[in-house]
Amino acid sequence: QVQLVESGGGLVQPGGSLRLSCAASGTIVSINAMGWYRQAPGKERELVVSITSDGSPNYADSVKGRFTISRDATKNSMYLQMRSLKPEDTAVYYCNARIRTSWTSRVKDYWGQGTQVTVSS
């Protein structure tokens, strides 16, 4: 059983910062790409940023220059530093990871439960 647990969401004023964390636990052989997605009310879930196993990021245009993704392979963890937050960043943020749980199994997608980020004055 694999679990992804996010933390770090909350309420912040426009222009403020937040740092999200995602930790994977359970039977893990390897983690390939990881990523952060978000879903605002009435909208579809969208990719915010992904990061490959060798640390190469891919940012959505809307967050380039403001958000920074990182991962710590030793802790099976990933982080999202968000700066210069805008009201339009308000959404539930989800952690995603492509994980192999045994040497004979396929890589599967796993999701966290989501953490709310609200940017408002």
Side-chain angles (χ1 to χ4, degrees), residues 38-40 42-46:
R38 67 186 181 187
Q39 187 166 20
K43 295 188 177 181
E44 294 189 353
R45 190 173 298 189
E46 63 175 0

Side-chain angles (χ1 to χ4, degrees), residues 24-43:
S25 62
T27 304
I28 298 171
V29 170
S30 64
I31 301 178
N32 293 1
M34 301 182 78
W36 290 98
Y37 289 72
R38 67 186 181 187
Q39 187 166 20
K43 295 188 177 181

Side-chain angles (χ1 to χ4, degrees), residues 43-119:
K43 295 188 177 181
E44 294 189 353
R45 190 173 298 189
E46 63 175 0
L47 174 67
V48 176
V49 57
S50 62
I51 186 167
T52 62
S53 56
D54 63 1
S56 298
N58 179 37
Y59 293 95
D61 288 343
S62 59
V63 306
K64 281 181 181 176
R66 299 188 298 121
F67 290 11
T68 303
I69 191 172
S70 60
R71 63 187 287 181
D72 184 339
T74 66
K75 297 180 180 179
N76 288 335
S77 294
M78 172 179 65
Y79 310 95
L80 183 64
Q81 180 66 53
M82 304 185 292
R83 298 182 176 88
S84 301
L85 283 161
K86 305 175 181 180
E88 50 263 43
D89 295 317
T90 295
V92 178
Y93 283 69
Y94 296 92
C95 169
N96 168 264
R98 308 210 72 216
I99 297 174
R100 187 185 305 276
T101 57
S102 78
W103 291 112
T104 58
S105 66
R106 296 169 59 185
V107 172
K108 294 181 182 177
D109 274 309
Y110 291 88
W111 293 89
Q113 80 285 356
T115 185
Q116 177 71 46
V117 171
T118 302
V119 184

